[in-house]
Amino acid sequence: MKNKRSLLAIPYVGWMAFFVVAPIIMVVIYAFTTADFSFTGENFTRMGTFTVIFTRSFKLAIIATLVCLLIGYPLSYAMAKEGKGFQRVAMLLIMLPMWVNFLLRTYSMMSIMENNGLINQFFAAIGLFDLINNVFGTDIHYFKMIGTQGAVVVGMVYNYLPFMVLPIYSTLIKMDNTLLEAAQDLGADTATVFRKVILPLSLPGILSGVTMVFVPSVSTFAISRLLGGGIQMLLGDLIEQQFLGGAYNPHLGSAIALVMMVIVVACMWIMNRFGEGEEQAVML
Amino acid sequence: MSKELIRLKDCVMAYDDGVVLDHINLYINDKEFLTLLGPSGCGKTTTLRIIGGFLTPTSGDVLFDGVRINHVPPHKREVNTVFQKYALFPHLNVYENVAFGLRLGKTVTNVVNGKSSAKKVKIPEAEIHKRVMEMLEIVNLKGFEKRSISALSGGQQQRVAIARALVNQPKVLLLDEPLGALDMRLRKDMQNELKRIQQEMGITFIYVTHDQEEALAMSDTVVVMDGGRIQQIGTPEDIYNEPKNAFVADFIGESNIIDGIMRADEVVEIFNRKFRCLDKGFDKDEPVDVVIRPEDVDIVAENQGQLKGTVTSVTFKGVHYDTIVDFYGFKWLIQTTEYHPVGTVIGIHLDPDCIHVMKKSEYSGMFGDYSSYSEEYEEIGDADYEPEEEENGHEE
């Protein structure tokens, strides 16, 4: 009873206990048991079968994260440096899609990228396919996008880009301008100022952006279902199948979920170790 | 003999909402300790930033060693800055902060076939280590190399900032209110230390402050600024003893500034009485401002004085009493070691050398009356009275 204010956290602690801690314990129990709840390690020995899906999931999530970083960092930088007007418009454009339902957004992406979707219709209208067919002697009438890994990555980037931009933007906007002047003063040109001051000081923002894009990307199932055309199966789809689909086996599903969680936590831990020295930068 | 190093020629800095610097002409000699002194918003920081390369004047020229450097970016100037809030890199430790400039390499100029080309050459690690350690010793921070910046006190951060700038062996060090955030004791110690470092290393210091005591104590030359204009340039003694106008007289130390009329050379009339003084060269019957420093007034018996007044307030200040005396409705501040209770009628005597006559200026009549003594004392006595530089608004 030293600090009465900690009582305020009781609703949250209760919530977490029921909806986070208890489910995790159940996942662990399920993962190590058979249908009649006797102990087994068999669920994990079967994991090798899904290597392709594991690899694909992590590969696509890493690509999507990198693309988000490559688009998001320059955008955040421009927003932090430009005037209030640009900031407001850019922020609105980033937030606007988030006010639309996630599934709706992804369905619309689907209809845009379909074989007779908006993009292909546009290419047809400007005569791109005719041109290609004439030059190469081929007979194509559309680019196949749905069902490719590219489409899945595009879906991930589209959905999760704001989670990259916001944390990076907030570290950049808080950065003390005199630090940049000090670096210039000591002899650093613009590129060196960026490399030796701006980049290291924005690392905490990059790390949290990467986490916030990577984790949902690696576990998504709706994006791969809709944009991957059911061909590009990811871990999320695999797990969903074990619980809701035809392959009903919640014990195996739990084991897959557990392995994925361990890998993700390990990734995050390594990354945060990497950025540890920078943490005080955020606090200042 | 010291030679001229930096010259500002007719520098104007204007923004949409007004003129910040109004035709500044100033030269700075090699190895000089020059202070830009003035109240908030007077243009002193803007002047410093122009020399540092962070601002380009709207018109006018900046010369360094005779070469025009208006558009030379900060990283190519042989000038380093100690920033107001230190601006130390939070992601680097003390050693790496100081080594920052050295790690960027030194510029070597090659002349090949009459064409000169400058390129950066890496400084060997051993030399970097030697110079950083030497510099940390000079600022008394030996043993702090591995410390993180956030684990240092204000005074220590200040020293790191100075070491980080000086380790690059600049020709000029710019200091923007470097002691503003420190407490009184520490500030006094650092004043002595800065002066010592400046003399030991033989570097030109350009120092910005609004603290007149600091300016007088440290500088070879003081530049008093107000409203974007230079009011007076001179040695600390000149500035104190021979202020050019009422603003300078009021800003530097305490002053009674009284309306007077110059009746002849070396004769000035105050309150309808003629006084002998040492000033000449004014027109006959020209209205002037007369400065009398509070410590220069001798209090004598009522019937022996040149002027007669009534004591209205006495404050004990340790060494002396601040005594406010009413002369014909105009209140003077007199500093004396003798105690004269409120209500006493006293006489005063003024020696010719304690009367200083100044031309009338736009500042005439604004200062010098101690009727609202207590508030004014706050303003002058407290160095932290102005917490923020108004000029910052223009720097974004």
Side-chain angles (χ1 to χ4, degrees):
Chain A
M1 279 297 127
K2 221 168 32 184
N3 186 358
K4 290 245 171 63
R5 256 170 291 182
S6 62
L7 293 177
L8 292 172
I10 283 184
Y12 175 72
V13 171
W15 177 273
M16 292 293 277
F18 277 106
F19 294 105
V20 179
V21 180
I24 288 178
I25 292 170
M26 282 167 67
V27 165
V28 174
I29 293 172
Y30 266 75
F32 284 100
T33 52
T34 57
D36 52 6
F37 288 99
S38 53
F39 178 83
T40 178
E42 197 202 339
N43 292 326
F44 292 95
T45 52
R46 285 176 63 188
M47 212 57 69
T49 335
F50 310 118
T51 312
V52 179
I53 297 175
F54 267 96
T55 317
R56 184 190 294 141
S57 273
F58 278 90
K59 184 181 92 182
L60 294 189
I62 288 170
I63 292 173
T65 308
L66 287 178
V67 173
C68 280
L69 186 60
L70 288 178
I71 299 174
Y73 198 100
L75 174 63
S76 315
Y77 188 77
M79 278 166 66
K81 293 289 158 202
E82 288 293 326
K84 287 267 177 289
F86 178 81
Q87 248 169 47
R88 231 168 291 159
V89 172
M91 191 57 88
L92 186 72
L93 289 178
I94 290 164
M95 298 305 289
L96 209 55
M98 297 186 73
W99 300 337
V100 177
N101 178 278
F102 168 77
L103 277 178
L104 212 58
R105 260 183 295 168
T106 310
Y107 270 117
S108 63
M109 288 292 284
M110 202 169 128
S111 72
I112 290 171
M113 291 197 286
E114 263 168 359
N115 292 350
N116 57 353
L118 272 180
I119 295 178
N120 279 323
Q121 281 179 21
F122 172 75
F123 285 152
I126 61 170
L128 184 68
F129 299 119
D130 295 339
L131 182 72
I132 291 173
N133 291 339
N134 283 337
V135 174
F136 298 103
T138 50
D139 184 29
I140 57 167
H141 301 286
Y142 56 82
F143 290 133
K144 183 176 153 49
M145 285 176 277
I146 299 295
T148 62
Q149 298 191 349
V152 177
V153 170
V154 168
M156 289 173 175
V157 171
Y158 175 66
N159 276 304
Y160 302 129
L161 184 60
F163 299 118
M164 183 66 84
V165 172
L166 295 179
I168 295 178
Y169 171 72
S170 79
T171 55
L172 287 176
I173 197 85
K174 273 188 295 188
M175 200 174 291
D176 184 356
N177 200 40
T178 56
L179 289 179
L180 314 187
E181 288 188 350
Q184 276 180 290
D185 185 76
L186 292 166
D189 55 26
T190 315
T192 315
V193 172
F194 180 78
R195 194 165 47 83
K196 295 199 99 174
V197 180
I198 300 177
L199 197 59
L201 285 178
S202 59
L203 203 55
I206 297 176
L207 291 181
S208 78
V210 164
T211 310
M212 285 165 73
V213 172
F214 179 74
V215 173
S217 295
V218 82
S219 59
T220 182
F221 64 92
I223 294 174
S224 49
R225 168 83 49 79
L226 297 176
L227 301 178
I231 314 163
Q232 306 295 347
M233 205 188 200
L234 298 186
L235 281 173
D237 305 286
L238 184 64
I239 296 168
E240 194 219 5
Q241 273 186 3
Q242 308 306 318
F243 286 92
L244 303 170
Y248 184 75
N249 185 351
H251 299 274
L252 179 61
S254 296
I256 300 167
L258 198 61
V259 170
M260 187 179 86
M261 207 161 74
V262 168
I263 297 175
V264 168
V265 169
C267 290
M268 293 302 122
W269 184 75
I270 291 166
M271 227 172 55
N272 283 317
R273 284 301 301 257
F274 173 63
E276 206 159 58
E278 320 303 332
E279 235 138 80
Q280 47 199 313
V282 211
M283 295 195 291
L284 269 175
Chain B
M1 240 355 255
S2 54
K3 64 178 181 75
E4 177 183 314
L5 190 61
I6 295 174
R7 180 178 280 270
L8 300 183
K9 264 163 86 178
D10 237 9
C11 279
V12 174
M13 195 74 212
Y15 295 98
D16 297 340
D17 52 347
V19 175
V20 182
L21 287 187
D22 189 0
H23 296 281
I24 296 290
N25 282 292
L26 178 67
Y27 68 88
I28 297 145
N29 284 332
D30 198 18
K31 300 188 177 34
E32 187 176 11
F33 195 125
L34 179 132
T35 300
L36 300 171
L37 172 68
S40 216
C42 72
K44 55 190 192 296
T45 298
T46 307
T47 308
L48 197 75
R49 291 173 63 79
I50 286 177
I51 297 170
F54 300 107
L55 292 174
T56 306
T58 315
S59 70
D61 286 331
V62 188
L63 304 179
F64 191 95
D65 247 347
V67 183
R68 186 172 181 272
I69 55 162
N70 284 32
H71 295 286
V72 176
H75 69 270
K76 289 187 179 155
R77 296 193 181 194
E78 287 174 280
V79 166
N80 284 117
T81 309
V82 176
F83 291 85
Q84 195 168 10
K85 292 182 182 92
Y86 317 141
L88 299 174
F89 302 119
H91 59 299
L92 302 175
N93 64 20
V94 170
Y95 183 95
E96 287 302 322
N97 260 281
V98 178
F100 191 93
L102 297 176
R103 291 213 190 285
L104 298 174
K106 62 180 167 201
T107 311
V108 176
T109 316
N110 283 323
V111 182
V112 182
N113 302 332
K115 279 184 186 170
S116 74
S117 62
K119 64 172 187 178
K120 291 259 180 185
V121 179
K122 240 184 142 193
I123 300 175
E125 199 59 37
E127 190 189 335
I128 292 179
H129 185 259
K130 186 168 150 279
R131 279 167 68 177
V132 170
M133 295 315 274
E134 268 172 18
M135 196 43 74
L136 285 176
E137 186 157 5
I138 288 178
V139 298
N140 283 328
L141 276 180
K142 239 185 151 186
F144 284 75
E145 304 89 58
K146 295 272 179 295
R147 290 276 189 101
S148 113
I149 293 303
S150 52
L152 298 182
S153 71
Q156 290 164 339
Q157 292 192 15
Q158 173 65 71
R159 286 156 201 264
V160 176
I162 292 167
R164 183 181 68 174
L166 281 177
V167 78
N168 305 296
Q169 299 169 345
K171 286 206 176 140
V172 180
L173 187 69
L174 309 179
L175 302 105
D176 186 4
E177 309 236 8
L179 309 183
L182 305 181
D183 65 56
M184 195 55 135
R185 265 303 291 276
L186 206 49
R187 199 168 351 172
K188 291 262 187 277
D189 290 347
M190 284 304 293
Q191 283 176 14
N192 294 331
E193 203 140 324
L194 279 175
K195 190 74 197 161
R196 173 181 66 82
I197 292 171
Q198 192 253 341
Q199 281 163 353
E200 253 172 45
M201 302 191 62
I203 292 177
T204 308
F205 273 37
I206 304 179
Y207 192 97
V208 160
T209 183
H210 63 261
D211 182 340
Q212 42 106 4
E213 257 180 71
E214 202 166 279
L216 295 181
M218 299 170 80
S219 322
D220 300 321
T221 306
V222 178
V223 179
V224 184
M225 296 181 71
D226 185 55
R229 278 190 296 260
I230 293 177
Q231 302 296 336
Q232 187 168 1
I233 303 178
T235 63
E237 290 86 351
D238 286 346
I239 300 272
Y240 188 85
N241 293 330
E242 305 284 331
K244 263 202 182 133
N245 61 33
F247 174 80
V248 178
D250 180 75
F251 197 75
I252 314 289
E254 305 274 347
S255 311
N256 301 295
I257 304 169
I258 307 129
D259 285 331
I261 298 168
M262 218 51 196
R263 289 304 182 195
D265 276 354
E266 303 192 355
V267 178
V268 65
E269 184 181 299
I270 313 168
F271 298 130
N272 297 319
R273 284 210 48 162
K274 291 197 173 66
F275 287 85
R276 285 194 53 74
C277 62
L278 302 177
D279 302 86
K280 48 190 156 192
F282 291 86
D283 294 340
K284 188 169 158 45
D285 298 335
E286 182 180 341
V288 290
D289 286 331
V290 178
V291 181
I292 295 160
R293 295 288 183 186
E295 68 275 16
D296 289 341
V297 182
D298 293 328
I299 295 185
V300 293
E302 182 191 342
N303 49 4
Q304 288 165 17
Q306 293 158 305
L307 286 172
K308 197 161 72 168
T310 315
V311 176
T312 60
S313 139
V314 184
T315 316
F316 180 58
K317 288 289 173 186
V319 181
H320 63 262
Y321 292 95
D322 271 359
T323 309
I324 304 290
V325 183
D326 189 328
F327 294 101
Y328 315 103
F330 190 93
K331 293 192 176 172
W332 293 33
L333 171 67
I334 297 172
Q335 290 170 345
T336 163
T337 50
E338 296 151 35
Y339 176 68
H340 300 276
V342 174
T344 324
V345 179
I346 53 141
I348 56 159
H349 177 79
L350 299 172
D351 284 332
D353 66 352
C354 69
I355 296 176
H356 174 64
V357 179
M358 308 178 301
K359 288 244 181 224
K360 283 278 179 192
S361 68
E362 60 187 301
Y363 296 104
S364 297
M366 288 168 67
F367 310 107
D369 180 10
Y370 281 83
S371 298
S372 52
Y373 169 66
S374 54
E375 295 100 273
E376 186 165 8
Y377 195 83
E378 288 277 290
E379 224 171 293
I380 295 164
D382 185 5
D384 296 324
Y385 184 75
E386 305 135 318
E388 276 297 327
E389 276 283 77
E390 291 165 354
E391 292 159 54
N392 289 347
H394 293 294
E395 291 161 7
E396 302 304 314

